[in-house]
Amino acid sequence: MTPAQQDSQESAHRGIPPDLTQRLETRGPLKGMHKGMTLTAAGLLLAFVVGAGLSPQASSALFGAARAWIENTFGTYYLILVVGMIALSLVMVVSPWGSLRLGPRDSRPEFSRFTWISMLLSAGVGIGILFFGVAEPLFYFDDSGGFGYPNNPHADLAGATSMDHARAVEALKVAFFHWGLHGWAVYGVVGMTLAYFAYRHHLPLALRSALYPLIGERIYGPIGHAVDIMGVLGCVFGIATSLGLGVSQIAVGLNRLTGLDAGLGTQLALIAVISVISIASAVSGVKRGIRFISELNIGVSVLVVGSFLIGGPTLWLISLFGETLLAYLRDVVPMGLWVAQTPGESSWQEGWTIFYWAWWLAWAPFIGLFIARISKGRTLREFILGVLIAPPLIIFLWQALFGGTGLHQELTAVMGPGTGELMTLVRNWNLPEALFATADALAGNGVLGVILSSLLIFLLISWFVTSSDSSTLVVTTILSLGDEEPLARHRIFWGICIGLVAGTLLMAGGLKALQTILMAAALPMSFVIVAMTMGLLVALYQESGNALKRFKKPAQHHTGP
């Protein structure tokens, strides 16, 4: 066997069609990567880091103007798009297409259901649920309108205008809405689409593959490159945003425990340390580091959740969870279709719902490709139901226990509802500290309080590590045209890039800059997701009519299941 034949056979074994290896570098620092895409993506990120780092004030002003324009121009479009993702998911579940397997007919899942759900949750949630878990429901519970718009228009429209139990349910319901079916439908559609084309038709595990029914072999040209580069940028900016949020909260926790300064210097140092850990996990691969930390996350999370359940008002929290879940299921459709009517309502919807939808859309290429990577062998129906049911339910329970504990503390405050420490923190926009203040009120300032806060800090780090290592794997998979086990040095490089972007965003405007870059990254990705969805529907229609032809590659070889 010649060296070329050996290379071709090895590449095929690793999941890259042999003909596509001709488009990758065979030597040098970019070995295994597509040179043009890698240099373009890295160059764009370098320009961003240098530009924002040299002129943080100008960058902050530019970010603010960009976010306002996107929210005003495309807000309704985001609302419609996300509702469409839910509708498509339901169609897939009930249609005959649901029985199609993501792979050959005799293929079976690579991971157990528990491990699969653990990795789904670890990659798809990350730091955000910790950062907003207490602060977000409390913000919606507030009735002061201190930010220039109503804190919770949905509660006001429902008549729950006073800070009482009814408004607490409405507050938690809106948190469910922002973290529930709508967002996970976006992940599910993108992941299902990528897995379908990769494992049923052996196209590269990359965003471009979903466009094959629309543009044919041009996916291997400039159009495909542009789509994948947008996916790379969306991954980097999305995960960098989470890292920025997470280190600000970790710094606050360390400050409460040890007195360590929680300023920018500490946050940048934390970015460096956490990036090193996440890179090490990414280099170890899905079956080792990523799998181990994902399962460890679940175990520690159970301990923390159990602490809040047992140490808090247990029966009240259980009752609140059930009451809120029923209210969410009752109102999820009208909430998703609701469009603000007044300037104040519009400001709230743009600042919260549309921001969240942008966050889900920006993360969709990263999470979608990762869950596609771990879902080979499952049916479309099992895939969609798993993504739409398991992670949202776990998140709802988390929010009910964390947010519910904070709500109970404010409902029972000595000076009356809404007069406690937590509400003061939220009104002062000190969101990172709300989580630790809730834990302190629950466990006290003694040994138990230290242990609980330490576990929360550990979770903040480990949740980010699982998101970051997954994202570096996704980015390098895209840039290698579908290689599921890219070289370690490329994972290291892109892990460093994520840390640099996160640090730059913190220096250029903190939370506002993090939120704005998400809005900007989500817009082009939303157009790509629409095109990918159209490609999936065309392919499924052709397959159901027995008219789907075998996909062709630049060189002829067998590609059918």
Side-chain angles (χ1 to χ4, degrees):
M1 180 179 294
T2 66
Q5 289 173 326
Q6 291 176 341
D7 289 343
S8 176
Q9 186 180 60
E10 179 183 357
S11 297
H13 175 70
R14 293 169 66 195
I16 308 176
D19 50 2
L20 291 184
T21 61
Q22 300 172 12
R23 299 169 182 262
L24 305 178
E25 295 299 298
T26 58
R27 61 174 61 90
L30 295 180
K31 180 181 179 181
M33 294 285 109
H34 186 280
K35 181 178 180 180
M37 287 200 303
T38 301
L39 292 179
T40 300
L44 290 172
L45 287 174
L46 177 63
F48 170 82
V49 169
V50 172
L54 292 178
S55 304
Q57 293 183 344
S59 300
S60 180
L62 179 62
F63 290 159
R67 179 176 180 178
W69 178 76
I70 292 172
E71 289 174 343
N72 293 332
T73 307
F74 295 96
T76 303
Y77 160 71
Y78 280 173
L79 297 175
I80 295 172
L81 177 60
V82 173
V83 169
M85 296 293 100
I86 285 189
L88 178 60
S89 299
L90 296 178
V91 168
M92 290 296 171
V93 169
V94 301
S95 72
W97 291 330
S99 61
L100 293 177
R101 194 168 290 279
L102 297 172
R105 293 180 180 179
D106 60 349
S107 63
R108 291 297 179 266
E110 181 178 8
F111 301 102
S112 69
R113 192 160 291 159
F114 173 78
T115 298
W116 182 59
I117 291 175
S118 297
M119 289 193 287
L120 278 180
L121 190 64
S122 295
V125 176
I127 288 172
I129 193 63
L130 281 162
F131 188 90
F132 289 106
V134 172
E136 186 178 357
L138 284 170
F139 182 91
Y140 303 145
F141 179 65
D142 188 14
D143 63 356
S144 66
F147 291 88
Y149 54 78
N151 288 67
N152 190 344
H154 292 286
D156 296 341
L157 292 172
T161 56
S162 300
M163 286 191 286
D164 54 15
H165 180 81
R167 190 172 178 88
V169 172
E170 291 293 323
L172 194 58
K173 183 183 73 176
V174 176
F176 281 15
F177 172 58
H178 286 153
W179 290 86
L181 293 175
H182 288 76
W184 284 94
V186 174
Y187 287 173
V189 169
V190 173
M192 168 183 63
T193 301
L194 293 171
Y196 173 84
F197 285 103
Y199 299 132
R200 282 193 71 81
H201 301 293
H202 302 294
L203 287 169
L205 186 59
L207 305 182
R208 68 177 69 204
S209 297
L211 305 184
Y212 192 95
L214 304 180
I215 63 174
E217 292 186 10
R218 282 180 291 174
I219 66 169
Y220 300 109
I223 296 177
H225 299 341
V227 167
D228 280 348
I229 288 172
M230 282 190 285
V232 168
L233 296 179
C235 287
V236 173
F237 285 124
I239 198 63
T241 299
S242 288
L243 178 54
L245 294 176
V247 295
S248 65
Q249 195 166 40
I250 294 170
V252 167
L254 291 175
N255 175 262
R256 293 177 73 99
L257 282 178
T258 66
L260 181 69
D261 177 64
L264 181 61
T266 298
Q267 294 176 29
L268 294 177
L270 285 170
I271 286 177
V273 172
I274 295 173
S275 295
V276 170
I277 298 173
S278 64
I279 289 170
S281 176
V283 168
S284 69
V286 173
K287 294 182 180 179
R288 293 186 294 275
I290 296 177
R291 175 177 180 173
F292 171 76
I293 296 180
S294 296
E295 293 179 345
L296 180 62
N297 276 346
I298 300 301
V300 177
S301 296
V302 169
L303 288 177
V304 173
V305 167
S307 300
F308 274 75
L309 178 61
I310 297 172
T314 305
L315 295 180
W316 188 86
L317 290 174
I318 294 173
S319 175
L320 178 69
F321 171 71
E323 190 175 354
T324 306
L325 182 60
L326 290 176
Y328 169 74
L329 295 175
R330 179 194 66 209
D331 297 334
V332 62
V333 173
M335 289 177 73
L337 298 174
W338 180 73
V339 178
Q341 301 298 314
T342 68
E345 291 174 351
S346 295
S347 296
W348 180 89
Q349 191 169 48
E350 291 169 358
W352 288 96
T353 302
I354 293 174
F355 163 70
Y356 269 114
W357 288 182
W359 196 347
W360 292 100
L361 289 166
W363 268 45
F366 149 45
I367 301 299
L369 196 149
F370 179 74
I371 62 178
R373 165 69 181 82
I374 63 175
S375 300
K376 182 178 182 181
R378 301 188 185 276
T379 65
L380 287 178
R381 183 174 294 112
E382 181 186 9
F383 180 95
I384 288 293
L385 288 176
V387 170
L388 286 186
I389 294 176
L393 274 180
I394 295 171
I395 291 172
F396 293 166
L397 181 61
W398 184 284
Q399 289 176 318
L401 295 178
F402 281 66
T405 299
L407 289 168
H408 186 267
Q409 290 176 11
E410 286 299 323
L411 282 169
T412 58
V414 175
M415 301 299 293
T419 62
E421 177 190 6
L422 297 178
M423 190 61 71
T424 300
L425 291 172
V426 171
R427 286 174 177 168
N428 291 333
W429 205 242
N430 193 351
L431 305 186
E433 195 164 350
L435 173 64
F436 293 101
T438 304
D440 286 347
L442 183 70
N445 296 321
V447 176
L448 291 179
V450 171
I451 292 175
L452 183 56
S453 293
S454 300
L455 289 175
L456 288 172
I457 292 173
F458 172 83
L459 281 181
L460 283 165
I461 295 173
S462 62
W463 279 120
F464 173 74
V465 168
T466 52
S467 296
S468 180
D469 56 21
S470 303
S471 71
T472 56
L473 181 62
V474 165
V475 166
T476 49
T477 296
I478 292 175
L479 293 176
S480 62
L481 298 178
D483 186 355
E484 297 180 4
E485 295 293 338
L487 294 177
R489 63 170 174 259
H490 302 307
R491 305 185 205 184
I492 294 172
F493 172 78
W494 286 100
I496 294 172
C497 286
I498 290 170
L500 288 175
V501 171
T504 302
L505 288 171
L506 282 176
M507 291 187 294
L511 179 58
K512 290 184 178 179
L514 295 169
Q515 292 174 326
T516 299
I517 203 65
L518 266 182
M519 300 292 293
L523 184 59
M525 274 315 310
S526 69
F527 301 142
V528 172
I529 291 171
V530 170
M532 291 171 60
T533 304
M534 293 174 59
L536 174 67
L537 293 175
V538 169
L540 288 173
Y541 175 78
Q542 292 174 335
E543 182 169 354
S544 65
N546 296 319
L548 181 64
K549 298 179 180 179
R550 294 189 181 277
F551 290 101
K552 296 168 63 180
K553 305 286 193 314
Q556 294 289 336
H557 65 279
H558 176 72
T559 61

